[in-house]
Amino acid sequence: MNPKHGIDSIIKRGLRMIGLLVLAVSLTGCIYWVRAYQTYLQMGEFDRYFTVVAADDFTLEFKKPIMYSQDFVSLAKLYPSENDATSEGRRFRYWFRKVDGHNRLVKPEVKFYSELTFNREDRITSWSFSPLFLQIAPPKFLEVSLRSIGGAEIDKEKQQLRANTDLIEKISADLPKKPTVIAHLGAPLEVQIEKENEVYIYHFLLETHGIEEGYEDRALSEVKLTFDKSTQELVKMAGRFAGLKVSINYRKFLDNGSESAKAS
């Protein structure tokens, strides 16, 4: 290897990291954005820093945690539904409950949660999603979408990450079918008809308290599920959960050999 080329490569990587760090700080000027950015960098070496455990629920385990519990509250501008001390540290649980068009809880109750655990130093050790959430974000697709964050583009204006699905290994998996999803979530609040798809819209209200003025709308999660008319497959999921915007186009994660894969 040419020594000069190696040095140039190191310098370029260093300058890129410095530039991105400056970008992260400039988003709000707050230190929690720096820790969020450092966690983002870890996503680029996913298996080194994270482990996925998928059973009845889905858990992302942090091998070398960086972020503190207050970082998540600061980023989301929302407090958890439950904040409990544990033998290992602390547990946050965010409960989302299905509501009607007037934000009234529906009966029978439909709910799911997102759970964060922290160690004695108050740093995050795991992030879990309950079984109901996996009906709209199956484990294989949820994992590959998390892996795609490594190398994602940072949108400074919108404070979002745009994943590049071309950089990840595609998977072979079955897409959820509409009858199965509806059996778990119940009737949608609204259905939008498109040329080739149907978009089912659901509202979930986060159980929280002390919402900062100007962020009241973050407690309401609008979830859009796009189903292919011809196959009844769930092809896209988009929503906002406790300030975290999620949009997954499942077909982009499927390999070309999958029977479910179609042109978007």
Side-chain angles (χ1 to χ4, degrees), residues 17 20-42 66-68 71 75 123:
M17 291 181 66
L20 288 175
L21 181 57
V22 171
L23 171 61
V25 175
S26 68
L27 289 174
T28 63
C30 297
I31 191 64
Y32 58 78
W33 269 108
V34 175
R35 289 191 286 267
Y37 169 72
Q38 291 172 332
T39 302
Y40 155 78
L41 286 181
Q42 289 183 332
I66 295 173
M67 297 182 70
Y68 294 95
D71 293 339
L75 288 165
R123 294 182 185 270

Side-chain angles (χ1 to χ4, degrees), residues 137-227:
K140 284 187 177 181
F141 291 98
L142 191 53
E143 178 178 351
V144 74
S145 65
L146 288 170
R147 288 178 176 273
S148 71
I149 293 176
E153 297 178 5
I154 299 177
D155 188 321
K156 177 181 176 182
E157 181 178 348
K158 296 182 179 179
Q159 297 184 3
Q160 294 177 355
L161 295 175
R162 184 179 298 277
N164 186 347
T165 57
D166 294 333
L167 299 178
I168 62 170
E169 183 177 348
K170 300 300 192 294
I171 62 173
S172 295
D174 294 326
L175 293 168
K177 296 287 189 175
K178 185 171 74 173
T180 302
V181 174
I182 302 306
H184 287 88
L185 296 187
L189 180 66
E190 179 186 352
V191 178
Q192 296 177 349
I193 305 300
E194 300 177 347
K195 183 178 180 181
E196 298 179 350
N197 301 315
E198 295 177 328
V199 181
Y200 279 47
I201 299 175
Y202 292 86
H203 282 183
F204 290 87
L205 191 64
L206 172 65
E207 179 187 332
T208 187
H209 63 88
I211 301 178
E212 185 177 334
E213 185 177 353
Y215 294 94
E216 294 84 358
D217 63 326
R218 289 198 178 190
L220 183 65
S221 298
E222 181 177 81
V223 180
K224 295 184 177 182
L225 306 178
T226 302
F227 296 95

Side-chain angles (χ1 to χ4, degrees), residues 17-255:
M17 291 181 66
I18 292 172
L20 288 175
L21 181 57
V22 171
L23 171 61
V25 175
S26 68
L27 289 174
T28 63
C30 297
I31 191 64
Y32 58 78
W33 269 108
V34 175
R35 289 191 286 267
Y37 169 72
Q38 291 172 332
T39 302
Y40 155 78
L41 286 181
Q42 289 183 332
M43 303 298 285
E45 298 181 78
F46 192 90
D47 293 310
R48 178 181 177 184
Y49 293 104
F50 302 95
T51 299
V52 168
V53 179
D56 292 334
D57 59 6
F58 178 98
T59 300
L60 178 68
E61 297 181 344
F62 294 68
K63 297 179 181 179
K64 295 184 179 181
I66 295 173
M67 297 182 70
Y68 294 95
S69 62
Q70 187 57 40
D71 293 339
F72 287 88
V73 175
S74 298
L75 288 165
K77 305 297 183 183
L78 295 167
Y79 289 97
S81 313
E82 301 173 8
N83 181 355
D84 301 316
T86 67
S87 60
E88 301 298 324
R90 184 156 297 278
R91 185 201 71 171
F92 279 6
R93 179 170 285 190
Y94 290 87
W95 277 108
F96 300 85
R97 291 180 167 83
K98 184 182 175 183
V99 294
D100 61 20
H102 300 285
N103 291 345
R104 296 175 302 206
L105 298 179
V106 302
K107 298 294 182 181
E109 186 177 53
V110 178
K111 62 182 180 180
F112 64 89
Y113 65 79
S114 173
E115 183 175 284
L116 309 173
T117 61
F118 304 89
N119 59 24
R120 291 185 178 88
E121 287 71 46
D122 199 35
R123 294 182 185 270
I124 185 171
T125 55
S126 70
W127 192 346
S128 300
F129 299 89
S130 67
L132 183 65
F133 186 78
L134 301 185
Q135 296 300 320
I136 60 175
K140 284 187 177 181
F141 291 98
L142 191 53
E143 178 178 351
V144 74
S145 65
L146 288 170
R147 288 178 176 273
S148 71
I149 293 176
E153 297 178 5
I154 299 177
D155 188 321
K156 177 181 176 182
E157 181 178 348
K158 296 182 179 179
Q159 297 184 3
Q160 294 177 355
L161 295 175
R162 184 179 298 277
N164 186 347
T165 57
D166 294 333
L167 299 178
I168 62 170
E169 183 177 348
K170 300 300 192 294
I171 62 173
S172 295
D174 294 326
L175 293 168
K177 296 287 189 175
K178 185 171 74 173
T180 302
V181 174
I182 302 306
H184 287 88
L185 296 187
L189 180 66
E190 179 186 352
V191 178
Q192 296 177 349
I193 305 300
E194 300 177 347
K195 183 178 180 181
E196 298 179 350
N197 301 315
E198 295 177 328
V199 181
Y200 279 47
I201 299 175
Y202 292 86
H203 282 183
F204 290 87
L205 191 64
L206 172 65
E207 179 187 332
T208 187
H209 63 88
I211 301 178
E212 185 177 334
E213 185 177 353
Y215 294 94
E216 294 84 358
D217 63 326
R218 289 198 178 190
L220 183 65
S221 298
E222 181 177 81
V223 180
K224 295 184 177 182
L225 306 178
T226 302
F227 296 95
D228 184 289
K229 283 183 180 179
S230 60
T231 65
Q232 299 289 289
E233 293 172 331
L234 176 63
V235 294
K236 184 184 296 184
M237 182 273 285
R240 185 174 65 186
F241 310 96
L244 175 66
K245 291 184 179 181
V246 178
S247 180
I248 306 176
N249 186 334
Y250 295 121
R251 283 177 174 163
K252 289 187 177 181
F253 293 123
L254 291 172
D255 63 33

